[in-house]
Amino acid sequence: MIRFSHVYKSYPNGALALKDVSFRVGKGEFVFLTGHSGAGKSTIMKLLFAELRPSGGEVRVSGYDVTELKVEEIPRLRRRLGIVFQDFRLLEDRTAAENIAFALEVTGARHDTIAARVMRVLTQVGLSAKSQAYPRELSGGEQQRVAIARALVNDPAILVADEPTGNLDERATRGVFQLLRDINAGGTVIVMATHDLDLVRQTPYRTIELREGAVVFDSAVDEADAVGTS
Amino acid sequence: MRLLTREALLSFRRAPLLSALSITTIAFSLFTLGLFGLVAINLRKALLGLEERVEIVAFVLRGTPAETITLATQDIAAFPEVQDVAFVTEQQALARARKELVEFRDAYRDLQANPLPASIEVQLKEGYRDARTVELVAERLRGFGFVDDVRFGREWVQRLDQLRNVTGLVGLVIGLAFAAVAIVIIGVTIRLTLLQRAREISIMRLVGATNWFIRGPFLLEGALKGLLGGLLSLVLCYAGYVLFRDRTGGSFSDLIFFRPEHMVLLIIFGVALGLAGSLVSVGRHLRHV
């Protein structure tokens, strides 16, 4: 589903954000990207949804070659992804349901199907009772659930979540994380950047750790190696 | 389409003050342009009035047979530049002089013989009343053997030419300047809207909206603002026109207002300005986020 091959990314000011990063993510996987601030997590996220292009190497996401992707093709790639951010990025002047419907309207979904699809994802994230609430009327955890519902409404193959629990208290964090696990159980690939190591340690999922733009640990590779050498 | 209209109208509702500001600025830019247009069409009308007085007079040698003159007038009437030809006999010339030149009435009454020559008066068609054409036609008239002398207000025709050129040039320059100012103002107001909605645009892009989908509502918004601004500017122009006409105490009572096609043109121009302004700022914004 995702393949990074010897990816380099440098910024116009000369800073090297990624150095020779390679990994693959297969169907149904849940992957944590960890590392300190500035380690390159967000750069990888942005490469996944073509907000950035690699300076070298190859990035393939859901069949699209991000390196060669034409500008007109970027929306098509993004419609196959769900994207979730730390700051939720909801439209303040629209209700929860309208925020989700917006993501469908943008993709030209049939008008008569929108309400039902919105209700389905709101139920999935446990917020069907708050469909008419505005973001300011919702708690942080609830706002993030709306954002996740918006990411899910187009039935994405991959959900990209950049520090989705970064702004949440512990209880909300657990709730949102459980939601992501449920979504993954349904077959959706999840790539989640986080620096919440407690969360990472509690779960059996694959972890890719970055330091200064390079992969220093990949549990899928390193544990397989460990098994191989023992 | 429904979504496009809804999003465009939503921006009016969400930022009524900014929208009102954009519409008023567009209206005032077009109003200045419109006022200038009014001055221009009225000036043009006045110029046409002056032009109608351009006339070439060919004095006829005494004793020229009437048939020769009749044939010649037919020839002259067939010139492509000529609108009207009139033959004025010696008697008619005298009668006209007696009537028009009151101070010399006594002198003309005591005359034993008529000193005034007969003449052929030629009027040119609209569009041919410039110095070059007048010279050309006068030269052709001189070619007739019976023509003694040809007169036309040479300097006067040349002045008219200059006036026409200057007003045309000034009109073009000022018109272009106002149009440019209007485009910049519309661009700035749309840019303000864009900055206000930068977050929304970035979210639209994240959920997979195409650039044309994002542009659509802004373009419609720009066009709508242009349309409303155009209509408002027409109202302002009309108010200004009526006020000026009535307050000047009749000396400008024959001023004209825009014809319907001019009004439509002004509105279309407003819409085009609105579209141009939003296209420029949306294009620039989308390249930068």
PDB file of all heavy atoms in Angstrom, chain A residues 188-222:
ATOM      1  N   THR A 188      -8.610  -1.113   7.220  1.00  0.00           N
ATOM      2  CA  THR A 188      -7.977   0.125   6.761  1.00  0.00           C
ATOM      3  C   THR A 188      -6.543   0.220   7.304  1.00  0.00           C
ATOM      4  O   THR A 188      -6.324  -0.009   8.495  1.00  0.00           O
ATOM      5  CB  THR A 188      -8.771   1.351   7.259  1.00  0.00           C
ATOM      6  OG1 THR A 188     -10.139   1.177   6.900  1.00  0.00           O
ATOM      7  CG2 THR A 188      -8.241   2.646   6.675  1.00  0.00           C
ATOM      8  N   VAL A 189      -5.611   0.532   6.422  1.00  0.00           N
ATOM      9  CA  VAL A 189      -4.222   0.736   6.844  1.00  0.00           C
ATOM     10  C   VAL A 189      -4.159   2.018   7.664  1.00  0.00           C
ATOM     11  O   VAL A 189      -4.765   3.025   7.284  1.00  0.00           O
ATOM     12  CB  VAL A 189      -3.292   0.867   5.625  1.00  0.00           C
ATOM     13  CG1 VAL A 189      -1.877   1.271   6.050  1.00  0.00           C
ATOM     14  CG2 VAL A 189      -3.258  -0.428   4.847  1.00  0.00           C
ATOM     15  N   ILE A 190      -3.442   1.991   8.789  1.00  0.00           N
ATOM     16  CA  ILE A 190      -3.303   3.220   9.570  1.00  0.00           C
ATOM     17  C   ILE A 190      -1.825   3.539   9.777  1.00  0.00           C
ATOM     18  O   ILE A 190      -1.041   2.680  10.193  1.00  0.00           O
ATOM     19  CB  ILE A 190      -4.031   3.101  10.924  1.00  0.00           C
ATOM     20  CG1 ILE A 190      -5.528   2.924  10.633  1.00  0.00           C
ATOM     21  CG2 ILE A 190      -3.763   4.326  11.807  1.00  0.00           C
ATOM     22  CD1 ILE A 190      -6.461   3.134  11.775  1.00  0.00           C
ATOM     23  N   VAL A 191      -1.463   4.768   9.428  1.00  0.00           N
ATOM     24  CA  VAL A 191      -0.116   5.256   9.720  1.00  0.00           C
ATOM     25  C   VAL A 191      -0.301   6.399  10.700  1.00  0.00           C
ATOM     26  O   VAL A 191      -0.946   7.402  10.378  1.00  0.00           O
ATOM     27  CB  VAL A 191       0.610   5.756   8.454  1.00  0.00           C
ATOM     28  CG1 VAL A 191       2.004   6.248   8.800  1.00  0.00           C
ATOM     29  CG2 VAL A 191       0.677   4.657   7.418  1.00  0.00           C
ATOM     30  N   MET A 192       0.239   6.241  11.895  1.00  0.00           N
ATOM     31  CA  MET A 192       0.000   7.239  12.933  1.00  0.00           C
ATOM     32  C   MET A 192       1.333   7.745  13.476  1.00  0.00           C
ATOM     33  O   MET A 192       2.145   6.967  13.981  1.00  0.00           O
ATOM     34  CB  MET A 192      -0.829   6.592  14.056  1.00  0.00           C
ATOM     35  CG  MET A 192      -1.009   7.468  15.269  1.00  0.00           C
ATOM     36  SD  MET A 192      -2.185   6.686  16.411  1.00  0.00           S
ATOM     37  CE  MET A 192      -1.825   7.579  17.909  1.00  0.00           C
ATOM     38  N   ALA A 193       1.531   9.060  13.316  1.00  0.00           N
ATOM     39  CA  ALA A 193       2.727   9.669  13.901  1.00  0.00           C
ATOM     40  C   ALA A 193       2.402  10.055  15.333  1.00  0.00           C
ATOM     41  O   ALA A 193       1.339  10.615  15.596  1.00  0.00           O
ATOM     42  CB  ALA A 193       3.120  10.896  13.104  1.00  0.00           C
ATOM     43  N   THR A 194       3.299   9.729  16.256  1.00  0.00           N
ATOM     44  CA  THR A 194       3.047  10.087  17.652  1.00  0.00           C
ATOM     45  C   THR A 194       4.363  10.151  18.418  1.00  0.00           C
ATOM     46  O   THR A 194       5.351   9.525  18.026  1.00  0.00           O
ATOM     47  CB  THR A 194       2.102   9.075  18.328  1.00  0.00           C
ATOM     48  OG1 THR A 194       1.841   9.494  19.661  1.00  0.00           O
ATOM     49  CG2 THR A 194       2.682   7.677  18.348  1.00  0.00           C
ATOM     50  N   HIS A 195       4.389  10.969  19.463  1.00  0.00           N
ATOM     51  CA  HIS A 195       5.545  10.835  20.347  1.00  0.00           C
ATOM     52  C   HIS A 195       5.105  10.354  21.735  1.00  0.00           C
ATOM     53  O   HIS A 195       5.828  10.449  22.699  1.00  0.00           O
ATOM     54  CB  HIS A 195       6.369  12.134  20.403  1.00  0.00           C
ATOM     55  CG  HIS A 195       5.568  13.344  20.788  1.00  0.00           C
ATOM     56  ND1 HIS A 195       5.307  14.344  19.891  1.00  0.00           N
ATOM     57  CD2 HIS A 195       4.975  13.690  21.932  1.00  0.00           C
ATOM     58  CE1 HIS A 195       4.582  15.267  20.495  1.00  0.00           C
ATOM     59  NE2 HIS A 195       4.374  14.894  21.734  1.00  0.00           N
ATOM     60  N   ASP A 196       3.885   9.788  21.774  1.00  0.00           N
ATOM     61  CA  ASP A 196       3.353   9.220  23.009  1.00  0.00           C
ATOM     62  C   ASP A 196       3.859   7.775  23.128  1.00  0.00           C
ATOM     63  O   ASP A 196       3.240   6.827  22.638  1.00  0.00           O
ATOM     64  CB  ASP A 196       1.818   9.270  22.941  1.00  0.00           C
ATOM     65  CG  ASP A 196       1.180   8.830  24.253  1.00  0.00           C
ATOM     66  OD1 ASP A 196       1.886   8.223  25.081  1.00  0.00           O
ATOM     67  OD2 ASP A 196      -0.026   9.087  24.432  1.00  0.00           O
ATOM     68  N   LEU A 197       5.027   7.611  23.770  1.00  0.00           N
ATOM     69  CA  LEU A 197       5.657   6.288  23.800  1.00  0.00           C
ATOM     70  C   LEU A 197       4.866   5.291  24.632  1.00  0.00           C
ATOM     71  O   LEU A 197       4.901   4.090  24.353  1.00  0.00           O
ATOM     72  CB  LEU A 197       7.098   6.406  24.318  1.00  0.00           C
ATOM     73  CG  LEU A 197       8.045   7.124  23.339  1.00  0.00           C
ATOM     74  CD1 LEU A 197       9.443   7.220  23.921  1.00  0.00           C
ATOM     75  CD2 LEU A 197       8.068   6.411  21.987  1.00  0.00           C
ATOM     76  N   ASP A 198       4.135   5.782  25.641  1.00  0.00           N
ATOM     77  CA  ASP A 198       3.303   4.882  26.444  1.00  0.00           C
ATOM     78  C   ASP A 198       2.302   4.153  25.552  1.00  0.00           C
ATOM     79  O   ASP A 198       2.111   2.947  25.649  1.00  0.00           O
ATOM     80  CB  ASP A 198       2.538   5.673  27.515  1.00  0.00           C
ATOM     81  CG  ASP A 198       3.477   6.102  28.631  1.00  0.00           C
ATOM     82  OD1 ASP A 198       4.554   5.480  28.740  1.00  0.00           O
ATOM     83  OD2 ASP A 198       3.136   7.062  29.361  1.00  0.00           O
ATOM     84  N   LEU A 199       1.679   4.938  24.690  1.00  0.00           N
ATOM     85  CA  LEU A 199       0.678   4.396  23.777  1.00  0.00           C
ATOM     86  C   LEU A 199       1.313   3.324  22.889  1.00  0.00           C
ATOM     87  O   LEU A 199       0.750   2.252  22.663  1.00  0.00           O
ATOM     88  CB  LEU A 199       0.151   5.549  22.914  1.00  0.00           C
ATOM     89  CG  LEU A 199      -1.214   5.393  22.285  1.00  0.00           C
ATOM     90  CD1 LEU A 199      -2.283   5.382  23.354  1.00  0.00           C
ATOM     91  CD2 LEU A 199      -1.465   6.541  21.317  1.00  0.00           C
ATOM     92  N   VAL A 200       2.510   3.618  22.419  1.00  0.00           N
ATOM     93  CA  VAL A 200       3.215   2.711  21.508  1.00  0.00           C
ATOM     94  C   VAL A 200       3.550   1.402  22.225  1.00  0.00           C
ATOM     95  O   VAL A 200       3.354   0.305  21.685  1.00  0.00           O
ATOM     96  CB  VAL A 200       4.494   3.383  20.976  1.00  0.00           C
ATOM     97  CG1 VAL A 200       5.304   2.422  20.115  1.00  0.00           C
ATOM     98  CG2 VAL A 200       4.128   4.635  20.179  1.00  0.00           C
ATOM     99  N   ARG A 201       4.034   1.543  23.468  1.00  0.00           N
ATOM    100  CA  ARG A 201       4.491   0.349  24.205  1.00  0.00           C
ATOM    101  C   ARG A 201       3.346  -0.590  24.573  1.00  0.00           C
ATOM    102  O   ARG A 201       3.532  -1.794  24.670  1.00  0.00           O
ATOM    103  CB  ARG A 201       5.225   0.780  25.476  1.00  0.00           C
ATOM    104  CG  ARG A 201       6.636   1.283  25.175  1.00  0.00           C
ATOM    105  CD  ARG A 201       7.452   1.424  26.442  1.00  0.00           C
ATOM    106  NE  ARG A 201       8.564   2.344  26.215  1.00  0.00           N
ATOM    107  CZ  ARG A 201       8.617   3.566  26.674  1.00  0.00           C
ATOM    108  NH1 ARG A 201       7.650   4.046  27.431  1.00  0.00           N
ATOM    109  NH2 ARG A 201       9.660   4.334  26.393  1.00  0.00           N
ATOM    110  N   GLN A 202       2.147   0.008  24.768  1.00  0.00           N
ATOM    111  CA  GLN A 202       1.008  -0.814  25.200  1.00  0.00           C
ATOM    112  C   GLN A 202       0.463  -1.715  24.091  1.00  0.00           C
ATOM    113  O   GLN A 202      -0.378  -2.566  24.350  1.00  0.00           O
ATOM    114  CB  GLN A 202      -0.148   0.098  25.640  1.00  0.00           C
ATOM    115  CG  GLN A 202       0.051   0.763  26.993  1.00  0.00           C
ATOM    116  CD  GLN A 202      -0.935   1.909  27.176  1.00  0.00           C
ATOM    117  OE1 GLN A 202      -1.960   1.968  26.531  1.00  0.00           O
ATOM    118  NE2 GLN A 202      -0.595   2.814  28.079  1.00  0.00           N
ATOM    119  N   THR A 203       0.868  -1.464  22.848  1.00  0.00           N
ATOM    120  CA  THR A 203       0.216  -2.176  21.739  1.00  0.00           C
ATOM    121  C   THR A 203       1.236  -2.987  20.941  1.00  0.00           C
ATOM    122  O   THR A 203       2.435  -2.688  20.969  1.00  0.00           O
ATOM    123  CB  THR A 203      -0.438  -1.163  20.779  1.00  0.00           C
ATOM    124  OG1 THR A 203       0.564  -0.227  20.385  1.00  0.00           O
ATOM    125  CG2 THR A 203      -1.577  -0.447  21.451  1.00  0.00           C
ATOM    126  N   PRO A 204       0.768  -3.997  20.248  1.00  0.00           N
ATOM    127  CA  PRO A 204       1.691  -4.880  19.531  1.00  0.00           C
ATOM    128  C   PRO A 204       2.032  -4.378  18.124  1.00  0.00           C
ATOM    129  O   PRO A 204       2.657  -5.100  17.350  1.00  0.00           O
ATOM    130  CB  PRO A 204       0.873  -6.174  19.428  1.00  0.00           C
ATOM    131  CG  PRO A 204      -0.541  -5.717  19.327  1.00  0.00           C
ATOM    132  CD  PRO A 204      -0.638  -4.455  20.129  1.00  0.00           C
ATOM    133  N   TYR A 205       1.610  -3.126  17.798  1.00  0.00           N
ATOM    134  CA  TYR A 205       1.744  -2.703  16.408  1.00  0.00           C
ATOM    135  C   TYR A 205       3.185  -2.379  16.027  1.00  0.00           C
ATOM    136  O   TYR A 205       4.028  -2.092  16.870  1.00  0.00           O
ATOM    137  CB  TYR A 205       0.856  -1.483  16.134  1.00  0.00           C
ATOM    138  CG  TYR A 205      -0.613  -1.764  16.334  1.00  0.00           C
ATOM    139  CD1 TYR A 205      -1.404  -0.937  17.119  1.00  0.00           C
ATOM    140  CD2 TYR A 205      -1.200  -2.870  15.719  1.00  0.00           C
ATOM    141  CE1 TYR A 205      -2.747  -1.196  17.297  1.00  0.00           C
ATOM    142  CE2 TYR A 205      -2.547  -3.141  15.901  1.00  0.00           C
ATOM    143  CZ  TYR A 205      -3.316  -2.306  16.691  1.00  0.00           C
ATOM    144  OH  TYR A 205      -4.643  -2.575  16.869  1.00  0.00           O
ATOM    145  N   ARG A 206       3.382  -2.403  14.722  1.00  0.00           N
ATOM    146  CA  ARG A 206       4.708  -2.103  14.161  1.00  0.00           C
ATOM    147  C   ARG A 206       5.095  -0.655  14.466  1.00  0.00           C
ATOM    148  O   ARG A 206       4.256   0.247  14.377  1.00  0.00           O
ATOM    149  CB  ARG A 206       4.659  -2.320  12.657  1.00  0.00           C
ATOM    150  CG  ARG A 206       5.938  -1.984  11.938  1.00  0.00           C
ATOM    151  CD  ARG A 206       5.748  -2.243  10.459  1.00  0.00           C
ATOM    152  NE  ARG A 206       6.869  -1.750   9.687  1.00  0.00           N
ATOM    153  CZ  ARG A 206       6.844  -1.663   8.369  1.00  0.00           C
ATOM    154  NH1 ARG A 206       5.768  -2.032   7.704  1.00  0.00           N
ATOM    155  NH2 ARG A 206       7.906  -1.212   7.726  1.00  0.00           N
ATOM    156  N   THR A 207       6.359  -0.440  14.793  1.00  0.00           N
ATOM    157  CA  THR A 207       6.843   0.904  15.102  1.00  0.00           C
ATOM    158  C   THR A 207       8.063   1.224  14.241  1.00  0.00           C
ATOM    159  O   THR A 207       8.992   0.426  14.152  1.00  0.00           O
ATOM    160  CB  THR A 207       7.261   0.993  16.580  1.00  0.00           C
ATOM    161  OG1 THR A 207       6.168   0.569  17.391  1.00  0.00           O
ATOM    162  CG2 THR A 207       7.652   2.411  16.960  1.00  0.00           C
ATOM    163  N   ILE A 208       8.002   2.403  13.619  1.00  0.00           N
ATOM    164  CA  ILE A 208       9.178   2.885  12.877  1.00  0.00           C
ATOM    165  C   ILE A 208       9.657   4.136  13.605  1.00  0.00           C
ATOM    166  O   ILE A 208       8.900   5.092  13.760  1.00  0.00           O
ATOM    167  CB  ILE A 208       8.818   3.223  11.415  1.00  0.00           C
ATOM    168  CG1 ILE A 208       8.365   1.961  10.679  1.00  0.00           C
ATOM    169  CG2 ILE A 208      10.001   3.863  10.699  1.00  0.00           C
ATOM    170  CD1 ILE A 208       7.823   2.215   9.283  1.00  0.00           C
ATOM    171  N   GLU A 209      10.908   4.080  14.079  1.00  0.00           N
ATOM    172  CA  GLU A 209      11.418   5.226  14.830  1.00  0.00           C
ATOM    173  C   GLU A 209      12.389   6.023  13.967  1.00  0.00           C
ATOM    174  O   GLU A 209      13.256   5.470  13.295  1.00  0.00           O
ATOM    175  CB  GLU A 209      12.133   4.752  16.100  1.00  0.00           C
ATOM    176  CG  GLU A 209      12.464   5.903  17.035  1.00  0.00           C
ATOM    177  CD  GLU A 209      13.279   5.458  18.254  1.00  0.00           C
ATOM    178  OE1 GLU A 209      13.244   4.258  18.599  1.00  0.00           O
ATOM    179  OE2 GLU A 209      13.954   6.324  18.832  1.00  0.00           O
ATOM    180  N   LEU A 210      12.216   7.328  14.024  1.00  0.00           N
ATOM    181  CA  LEU A 210      13.063   8.218  13.221  1.00  0.00           C
ATOM    182  C   LEU A 210      13.937   9.054  14.134  1.00  0.00           C
ATOM    183  O   LEU A 210      13.525   9.423  15.238  1.00  0.00           O
ATOM    184  CB  LEU A 210      12.191   9.164  12.390  1.00  0.00           C
ATOM    185  CG  LEU A 210      11.341   8.515  11.299  1.00  0.00           C
ATOM    186  CD1 LEU A 210      10.141   9.379  10.982  1.00  0.00           C
ATOM    187  CD2 LEU A 210      12.182   8.292  10.044  1.00  0.00           C
ATOM    188  N   ARG A 211      15.149   9.303  13.658  1.00  0.00           N
ATOM    189  CA  ARG A 211      16.009  10.240  14.382  1.00  0.00           C
ATOM    190  C   ARG A 211      16.789  11.034  13.335  1.00  0.00           C
ATOM    191  O   ARG A 211      17.411  10.452  12.450  1.00  0.00           O
ATOM    192  CB  ARG A 211      16.967   9.476  15.297  1.00  0.00           C
ATOM    193  CG  ARG A 211      17.609  10.378  16.363  1.00  0.00           C
ATOM    194  CD  ARG A 211      18.489   9.571  17.314  1.00  0.00           C
ATOM    195  NE  ARG A 211      17.723   8.576  18.061  1.00  0.00           N
ATOM    196  CZ  ARG A 211      18.264   7.446  18.558  1.00  0.00           C
ATOM    197  NH1 ARG A 211      19.542   7.174  18.374  1.00  0.00           N
ATOM    198  NH2 ARG A 211      17.513   6.600  19.240  1.00  0.00           N
ATOM    199  N   GLU A 212      16.699  12.341  13.428  1.00  0.00           N
ATOM    200  CA  GLU A 212      17.370  13.253  12.496  1.00  0.00           C
ATOM    201  C   GLU A 212      17.163  12.846  11.040  1.00  0.00           C
ATOM    202  O   GLU A 212      18.100  12.826  10.233  1.00  0.00           O
ATOM    203  CB  GLU A 212      18.864  13.338  12.823  1.00  0.00           C
ATOM    204  CG  GLU A 212      19.086  14.043  14.151  1.00  0.00           C
ATOM    205  CD  GLU A 212      20.549  14.019  14.598  1.00  0.00           C
ATOM    206  OE1 GLU A 212      21.374  13.464  13.849  1.00  0.00           O
ATOM    207  OE2 GLU A 212      20.830  14.540  15.665  1.00  0.00           O
ATOM    208  N   GLY A 213      15.936  12.481  10.725  1.00  0.00           N
ATOM    209  CA  GLY A 213      15.579  12.226   9.335  1.00  0.00           C
ATOM    210  C   GLY A 213      15.895  10.828   8.828  1.00  0.00           C
ATOM    211  O   GLY A 213      15.697  10.532   7.648  1.00  0.00           O
ATOM    212  N   ALA A 214      16.394   9.964   9.697  1.00  0.00           N
ATOM    213  CA  ALA A 214      16.727   8.609   9.242  1.00  0.00           C
ATOM    214  C   ALA A 214      15.957   7.589  10.082  1.00  0.00           C
ATOM    215  O   ALA A 214      15.634   7.845  11.235  1.00  0.00           O
ATOM    216  CB  ALA A 214      18.225   8.367   9.367  1.00  0.00           C
ATOM    217  N   VAL A 215      15.661   6.420   9.494  1.00  0.00           N
ATOM    218  CA  VAL A 215      14.989   5.352  10.243  1.00  0.00           C
ATOM    219  C   VAL A 215      16.047   4.666  11.109  1.00  0.00           C
ATOM    220  O   VAL A 215      17.041   4.156  10.591  1.00  0.00           O
ATOM    221  CB  VAL A 215      14.351   4.330   9.278  1.00  0.00           C
ATOM    222  CG1 VAL A 215      13.771   3.149  10.058  1.00  0.00           C
ATOM    223  CG2 VAL A 215      13.270   4.999   8.444  1.00  0.00           C
ATOM    224  N   VAL A 216      15.848   4.704  12.443  1.00  0.00           N
ATOM    225  CA  VAL A 216      16.831   4.055  13.316  1.00  0.00           C
ATOM    226  C   VAL A 216      16.290   2.745  13.875  1.00  0.00           C
ATOM    227  O   VAL A 216      17.046   1.930  14.412  1.00  0.00           O
ATOM    228  CB  VAL A 216      17.264   4.981  14.482  1.00  0.00           C
ATOM    229  CG1 VAL A 216      18.091   6.140  13.951  1.00  0.00           C
ATOM    230  CG2 VAL A 216      16.064   5.480  15.271  1.00  0.00           C
ATOM    231  N   PHE A 217      14.989   2.551  13.741  1.00  0.00           N
ATOM    232  CA  PHE A 217      14.406   1.301  14.236  1.00  0.00           C
ATOM    233  C   PHE A 217      13.115   1.033  13.485  1.00  0.00           C
ATOM    234  O   PHE A 217      12.299   1.923  13.288  1.00  0.00           O
ATOM    235  CB  PHE A 217      14.125   1.426  15.746  1.00  0.00           C
ATOM    236  CG  PHE A 217      13.403   0.252  16.330  1.00  0.00           C
ATOM    237  CD1 PHE A 217      14.077  -0.949  16.594  1.00  0.00           C
ATOM    238  CD2 PHE A 217      12.042   0.318  16.617  1.00  0.00           C
ATOM    239  CE1 PHE A 217      13.393  -2.047  17.129  1.00  0.00           C
ATOM    240  CE2 PHE A 217      11.361  -0.778  17.149  1.00  0.00           C
ATOM    241  CZ  PHE A 217      12.049  -1.961  17.410  1.00  0.00           C
ATOM    242  N   ASP A 218      12.968  -0.199  13.012  1.00  0.00           N
ATOM    243  CA  ASP A 218      11.704  -0.603  12.396  1.00  0.00           C
ATOM    244  C   ASP A 218      11.381  -1.967  12.968  1.00  0.00           C
ATOM    245  O   ASP A 218      12.080  -2.943  12.674  1.00  0.00           O
ATOM    246  CB  ASP A 218      11.851  -0.654  10.869  1.00  0.00           C
ATOM    247  CG  ASP A 218      10.534  -1.014  10.188  1.00  0.00           C
ATOM    248  OD1 ASP A 218       9.618  -1.526  10.872  1.00  0.00           O
ATOM    249  OD2 ASP A 218      10.411  -0.763   8.975  1.00  0.00           O
ATOM    250  N   SER A 219      10.376  -2.052  13.822  1.00  0.00           N
ATOM    251  CA  SER A 219      10.124  -3.308  14.541  1.00  0.00           C
ATOM    252  C   SER A 219       9.894  -4.463  13.577  1.00  0.00           C
ATOM    253  O   SER A 219      10.283  -5.592  13.869  1.00  0.00           O
ATOM    254  CB  SER A 219       8.949  -3.133  15.495  1.00  0.00           C
ATOM    255  OG  SER A 219       7.795  -2.793  14.783  1.00  0.00           O
ATOM    256  N   ALA A 220       9.298  -4.193  12.413  1.00  0.00           N
ATOM    257  CA  ALA A 220       9.031  -5.282  11.475  1.00  0.00           C
ATOM    258  C   ALA A 220      10.345  -5.904  10.993  1.00  0.00           C
ATOM    259  O   ALA A 220      10.472  -7.117  10.898  1.00  0.00           O
ATOM    260  CB  ALA A 220       8.236  -4.764  10.290  1.00  0.00           C
ATOM    261  N   VAL A 221      11.327  -5.046  10.719  1.00  0.00           N
ATOM    262  CA  VAL A 221      12.612  -5.532  10.190  1.00  0.00           C
ATOM    263  C   VAL A 221      13.481  -6.044  11.329  1.00  0.00           C
ATOM    264  O   VAL A 221      13.981  -7.166  11.295  1.00  0.00           O
ATOM    265  CB  VAL A 221      13.354  -4.390   9.454  1.00  0.00           C
ATOM    266  CG1 VAL A 221      14.695  -4.871   8.928  1.00  0.00           C
ATOM    267  CG2 VAL A 221      12.490  -3.841   8.343  1.00  0.00           C
ATOM    268  N   ASP A 222      13.627  -5.209  12.382  1.00  0.00           N
ATOM    269  CA  ASP A 222      14.578  -5.539  13.436  1.00  0.00           C
ATOM    270  C   ASP A 222      14.158  -6.780  14.226  1.00  0.00           C
ATOM    271  O   ASP A 222      14.991  -7.614  14.570  1.00  0.00           O
ATOM    272  CB  ASP A 222      14.773  -4.342  14.373  1.00  0.00           C
ATOM    273  CG  ASP A 222      15.367  -3.169  13.602  1.00  0.00           C
ATOM    274  OD1 ASP A 222      15.912  -3.424  12.503  1.00  0.00           O
ATOM    275  OD2 ASP A 222      15.276  -2.026  14.066  1.00  0.00           O
TER     276      ASP A 222
END
